[in-house]
PDB file of all heavy atoms in Angstrom:
ATOM      1  N   MET N 241      76.039-129.381-144.413  1.00 93.00           N
ATOM      2  CA  MET N 241      76.151-128.296-143.483  1.00 93.00           C
ATOM      3  C   MET N 241      76.875-127.128-144.153  1.00 93.00           C
ATOM      4  O   MET N 241      77.760-127.336-144.977  1.00 93.00           O
ATOM      5  CB  MET N 241      76.859-128.709-142.192  1.00 93.00           C
ATOM      6  CG  MET N 241      76.110-129.737-141.377  1.00 93.00           C
ATOM      7  SD  MET N 241      76.895-130.022-139.782  1.00 93.00           S
ATOM      8  CE  MET N 241      75.800-131.321-139.148  1.00 93.00           C
ATOM      9  N   SER N 242      76.510-125.921-143.731  1.00 97.00           N
ATOM     10  CA  SER N 242      77.057-124.715-144.331  1.00 97.00           C
ATOM     11  C   SER N 242      77.730-123.811-143.348  1.00 97.00           C
ATOM     12  O   SER N 242      77.414-123.833-142.164  1.00 97.00           O
ATOM     13  CB  SER N 242      75.918-123.933-145.072  1.00 97.00           C
ATOM     14  OG  SER N 242      75.350-124.704-146.113  1.00 97.00           O
ATOM     15  N   MET N 243      78.634-123.004-143.845  1.00 98.00           N
ATOM     16  CA  MET N 243      79.306-121.973-143.096  1.00 98.00           C
ATOM     17  C   MET N 243      78.421-120.727-143.103  1.00 98.00           C
ATOM     18  O   MET N 243      77.848-120.393-144.145  1.00 98.00           O
ATOM     19  CB  MET N 243      80.671-121.713-143.711  1.00 98.00           C
ATOM     20  CG  MET N 243      81.570-120.759-142.992  1.00 98.00           C
ATOM     21  SD  MET N 243      83.090-120.451-143.977  1.00 98.00           S
ATOM     22  CE  MET N 243      83.787-122.140-144.055  1.00 98.00           C
ATOM     23  N   ALA N 244      78.352-119.994-141.974  1.00 98.00           N
ATOM     24  CA  ALA N 244      77.497-118.816-141.939  1.00 98.00           C
ATOM     25  C   ALA N 244      78.015-117.810-140.909  1.00 98.00           C
ATOM     26  O   ALA N 244      78.592-118.199-139.892  1.00 98.00           O
ATOM     27  CB  ALA N 244      76.051-119.206-141.601  1.00 98.00           C
ATOM     28  N   PHE N 245      77.790-116.533-141.216  1.00 98.00           N
ATOM     29  CA  PHE N 245      78.117-115.450-140.270  1.00 98.00           C
ATOM     30  C   PHE N 245      76.869-114.980-139.553  1.00 98.00           C
ATOM     31  O   PHE N 245      75.745-115.071-140.061  1.00 98.00           O
ATOM     32  CB  PHE N 245      78.722-114.273-141.022  1.00 98.00           C
ATOM     33  CG  PHE N 245      80.200-114.377-141.251  1.00 98.00           C
ATOM     34  CD1 PHE N 245      80.703-114.756-142.492  1.00 98.00           C
ATOM     35  CD2 PHE N 245      81.111-114.074-140.247  1.00 98.00           C
ATOM     36  CE1 PHE N 245      82.063-114.833-142.717  1.00 98.00           C
ATOM     37  CE2 PHE N 245      82.465-114.173-140.435  1.00 98.00           C
ATOM     38  CZ  PHE N 245      82.940-114.544-141.672  1.00 98.00           C
ATOM     39  N   SER N 246      77.091-114.450-138.369  1.00 98.00           N
ATOM     40  CA  SER N 246      76.025-113.844-137.624  1.00 98.00           C
ATOM     41  C   SER N 246      75.549-112.578-138.285  1.00 98.00           C
ATOM     42  O   SER N 246      76.299-111.955-139.067  1.00 98.00           O
ATOM     43  CB  SER N 246      76.498-113.528-136.184  1.00 98.00           C
ATOM     44  OG  SER N 246      77.641-112.668-136.248  1.00 98.00           O
ATOM     45  N   LEU N 247      74.308-112.167-137.991  1.00 97.00           N
ATOM     46  CA  LEU N 247      73.825-110.883-138.448  1.00 97.00           C
ATOM     47  C   LEU N 247      74.675-109.783-137.753  1.00 97.00           C
ATOM     48  O   LEU N 247      75.129-109.974-136.632  1.00 97.00           O
ATOM     49  CB  LEU N 247      72.348-110.737-138.091  1.00 97.00           C
ATOM     50  CG  LEU N 247      71.398-111.749-138.699  1.00 97.00           C
ATOM     51  CD1 LEU N 247      69.964-111.454-138.248  1.00 97.00           C
ATOM     52  CD2 LEU N 247      71.489-111.794-140.219  1.00 97.00           C
ATOM     53  N   GLY N 248      74.842-108.690-138.436  1.00 93.00           N
ATOM     54  CA  GLY N 248      75.675-107.646-137.870  1.00 93.00           C
ATOM     55  C   GLY N 248      77.092-107.696-138.370  1.00 93.00           C
ATOM     56  O   GLY N 248      77.870-106.768-138.158  1.00 93.00           O
ATOM     57  N   THR N 249      77.469-108.795-139.027  1.00 95.00           N
ATOM     58  CA  THR N 249      78.765-108.891-139.659  1.00 95.00           C
ATOM     59  C   THR N 249      78.743-108.138-140.973  1.00 95.00           C
ATOM     60  O   THR N 249      77.798-108.293-141.751  1.00 95.00           O
ATOM     61  CB  THR N 249      79.150-110.385-139.918  1.00 95.00           C
ATOM     62  OG1 THR N 249      79.069-111.105-138.678  1.00 95.00           O
ATOM     63  CG2 THR N 249      80.551-110.484-140.496  1.00 95.00           C
ATOM     64  N   PRO N 250      79.746-107.303-141.254  1.00 95.00           N
ATOM     65  CA  PRO N 250      79.728-106.546-142.516  1.00 95.00           C
ATOM     66  C   PRO N 250      79.582-107.448-143.738  1.00 95.00           C
ATOM     67  O   PRO N 250      80.175-108.519-143.819  1.00 95.00           O
ATOM     68  CB  PRO N 250      81.104-105.846-142.530  1.00 95.00           C
ATOM     69  CG  PRO N 250      81.439-105.686-141.084  1.00 95.00           C
ATOM     70  CD  PRO N 250      80.899-106.927-140.419  1.00 95.00           C
ATOM     71  N   ALA N 251      78.786-106.992-144.702  1.00 95.00           N
ATOM     72  CA  ALA N 251      78.533-107.771-145.901  1.00 95.00           C
ATOM     73  C   ALA N 251      79.831-108.040-146.678  1.00 95.00           C
ATOM     74  O   ALA N 251      79.965-109.109-147.312  1.00 95.00           O
ATOM     75  CB  ALA N 251      77.529-107.044-146.805  1.00 95.00           C
ATOM     76  N   SER N 252      80.792-107.119-146.614  1.00 95.00           N
ATOM     77  CA  SER N 252      82.054-107.319-147.344  1.00 95.00           C
ATOM     78  C   SER N 252      82.831-108.488-146.763  1.00 95.00           C
ATOM     79  O   SER N 252      83.509-109.232-147.489  1.00 95.00           O
ATOM     80  CB  SER N 252      82.913-106.044-147.256  1.00 95.00           C
ATOM     81  OG  SER N 252      83.163-105.688-145.908  1.00 95.00           O
TER      82      SER N 252
END
Side-chain angles (χ1 to χ4, degrees):
M241 294 188 183
S242 297
M243 185 185 300
F245 274 102
S246 57
L247 300 181
T249 305
S252 58

